[in-house]
Amino acid sequence: MEVACDVVDHIVSKNGEMAAFLQKTKEGLQLSLFDGKKSHAVSKEMALEENAYALSADGKYLVYRDAYDILHATTTDFPVEPVELTDDCPLYAMAEDILYFVSKADGMYNIYSYDFKGEPVLVAENAQYMELMPNGKDLLYGVKPTEIIPYSELLEDDMAEIDAAMKEDDPNYEQKLMRDKLREAMKSGKGLEPLLQEYYILSNGKTRLVADHVVSAIAVADSDKNFVTGYKAKPFQPLYLSVIGGGLEMVDMIYYMSINYGGMQPFLADSFGNVEVLSGSEGFDVQLNTVQVSADGSRAAYLVEDPETGSNTLMQMELGQTKETKEATVVQENVKEFAFIGGNGPLCYYYDYADGAGTLASMESDRTITDETGVTFAKDV
């Protein structure tokens, strides 16, 4: 049965009961729905762009952004008039029966949820990141705190007694006056605008803090346990007034430089906010999009890249360990692909790929298979 002609794009709900498609018409690009029997025109003002429209897994709900960037939502029980949600939506994510979208207001990007029934509900303000978790239900998002970082947390006065006794004819009196200005800023509650983010997971209507002081983070793919990986800034060590040698501008510069150049810690966090540093990565770059966690959450594996050679080294780390236990184990250098077979099974990896072939091995076995032209790791056996 022919559904439509001049179709340029289409999607099908996961249950296969509903399809949405874009087709060229005389009026422009039209969005339509097909329910298995009949097609229904939804909008004749669409643009061909990525993530322009989406269907819920059960095919009951449709969301789309028209050519004017207005975000619409509707049920697929026709005839139903779509609801306009926002005219400034850079990002949205369709969960099972909840739509999450970002909208700009008062100079900030805020996250809202919409259940296709009532009004949109504010989830978070000042959002910096949003992503649907791999389970297709929960939401990961990062926000920048609106509270300033007070100078009283960044500075430590180790010159109070000396400065209190200092006379105006002292050759260091000008430095004392400069430190007085820093003390005034500490007492007044002044501070810096935060650069780092806080990351949260929204699950079953409850929000939980996953990690703070985060530079960037993403959800760990193929994990139903809601793991998050990213980079945290190392804790800032308060500055002694005796060593600053400048005013507030100097303090600002030192703090911001500490974030950019002071080193970052790659981390892995679960949905309960338990954070572990991915060890064994000193001097190397952890490739966040390669982080995998075993199905039972007991092990993590990831690739670290040597910035000089570009070679990838596979690491495995036991999770839930104390600082006294061993850190991450170097598994193999020059690894191309890897996986926990069957979710909880052995860690298998494919390495030394060159001239169209490589070697296949497992941590739990001494056996290797050479001259393999390619591998596919089964995670659900």
Side-chain angles (χ1 to χ4, degrees):
M1 178 178 64
E2 181 177 302
V3 176
C5 59
D6 295 326
V7 174
V8 296
D9 190 63
H10 77 281
I11 55 175
V12 179
S13 60
K14 289 185 179 180
N15 64 5
E17 295 182 0
M18 191 72 66
F21 58 91
L22 295 175
Q23 64 180 137
K24 293 181 179 179
T25 66
K26 294 180 180 179
E27 292 80 13
L29 202 59
Q30 176 175 298
L31 173 64
S32 299
L33 276 170
F34 179 68
D35 61 9
K37 298 179 181 179
K38 184 179 179 181
S39 293
H40 308 268
V42 178
S43 174
K44 298 182 179 181
E45 299 178 308
M46 297 292 293
L48 187 58
E49 60 181 25
E50 186 177 359
N51 204 29
Y53 61 108
L55 278 169
S56 61
D58 58 10
K60 293 182 178 180
Y61 306 107
L62 171 72
V63 57
Y64 64 94
R65 241 183 341 218
D66 64 21
Y68 306 100
D69 285 333
I70 299 175
L71 184 68
H72 305 260
T74 182
T75 66
T76 55
D77 294 329
F78 281 86
V80 177
E81 187 68 24
V83 176
E84 293 186 9
L85 297 176
T86 177
D87 59 1
D88 191 344
C89 177
L91 184 67
Y92 69 85
M94 185 71 229
E96 291 182 342
D97 54 0
I98 297 289
L99 170 67
Y100 297 104
F101 65 93
V102 177
S103 181
K104 189 175 183 180
D106 299 326
M108 294 192 304
Y109 287 102
N110 303 325
I111 300 175
Y112 295 85
S113 66
Y114 180 65
D115 62 1
F116 297 88
K117 299 173 184 177
E119 295 294 323
V121 176
L122 178 66
V123 172
E125 296 180 311
N126 207 14
Q128 308 292 305
Y129 183 82
M130 185 184 81
E131 175 188 2
L132 198 64
M133 299 297 290
N135 61 15
K137 300 183 295 182
D138 303 331
L139 188 74
L140 170 69
Y141 64 89
V143 299
K144 184 188 292 186
T146 55
E147 300 83 5
I148 63 171
I149 304 171
Y151 286 115
S152 59
E153 294 183 4
L154 304 178
L155 301 174
E156 189 167 330
D157 190 355
D158 62 334
M159 295 289 290
E161 293 185 7
I162 296 176
D163 285 349
M166 191 176 294
K167 305 299 183 181
E168 290 189 21
D169 58 354
D170 191 296
N172 296 316
Y173 193 74
E174 288 297 325
Q175 284 76 20
K176 182 262 185 189
L177 294 179
M178 180 184 64
R179 289 191 289 268
D180 285 342
K181 292 182 179 179
L182 295 179
R183 294 185 180 102
E184 181 182 349
M186 293 170 65
K187 293 178 181 179
S188 66
K190 293 182 179 179
L192 297 176
E193 179 184 349
L195 288 180
L196 303 174
Q197 304 173 53
E198 298 172 344
Y199 270 71
Y200 296 85
I201 289 180
L202 175 61
S203 177
N204 296 321
K206 296 182 179 180
T207 300
R208 191 187 299 269
L209 176 65
V210 175
D212 55 10
H213 298 91
V214 175
V215 178
S216 63
I218 58 175
V220 174
D222 301 322
S223 174
D224 290 334
K225 292 184 178 294
N226 285 349
F227 280 92
V228 178
T229 185
Y231 283 99
K232 288 170 61 75
K234 290 185 177 179
F236 181 80
Q237 300 300 320
L239 300 169
Y240 290 115
L241 295 191
S242 61
V243 300
I244 292 177
L248 291 177
E249 296 81 5
M250 178 66 71
V251 177
D252 297 355
M253 183 183 70
I254 294 174
Y255 174 74
Y256 291 135
M257 287 184 64
S258 72
I259 295 176
N260 293 323
Y261 305 107
M264 301 178 188
Q265 295 177 321
F267 74 92
L268 181 69
D270 62 21
S271 59
F272 297 99
N274 299 312
V275 179
E276 299 198 48
V277 175
L278 297 178
S279 64
S281 59
E282 294 76 11
F284 296 86
D285 296 326
V286 173
Q287 299 183 31
L288 298 182
N289 61 347
T290 70
V291 176
Q292 296 183 30
V293 179
S294 59
D296 61 3
S298 66
R299 294 172 291 162
Y302 47 95
L303 296 179
V304 295
E305 181 181 9
D306 187 325
E308 295 184 1
T309 66
S311 175
N312 292 327
T313 298
L314 176 62
M315 312 291 294
Q316 179 177 265
M317 181 175 173
E318 301 292 328
L319 301 179
Q321 303 294 310
T322 64
K323 293 183 179 179
E324 289 73 27
T325 58
K326 63 181 181 179
E327 296 188 344
T329 302
V330 176
V331 178
Q332 177 65 49
E333 296 181 351
N334 198 25
V335 172
K336 183 177 177 63
E337 297 178 51
F338 67 94
F340 292 105
I341 299 300
N344 277 329
L347 178 62
C348 296
Y349 49 95
Y350 185 54
Y351 67 101
D352 285 349
Y353 181 82
D355 299 325
T359 300
L360 181 64
S362 168
M363 277 199 71
E364 282 73 13
S365 173
D366 295 331
R367 180 189 177 193
T368 59
I369 304 175
T370 59
D371 297 324
E372 288 295 314
T373 57
V375 298
T376 300
F377 292 114
K379 300 180 181 181
D380 55 354
V381 295

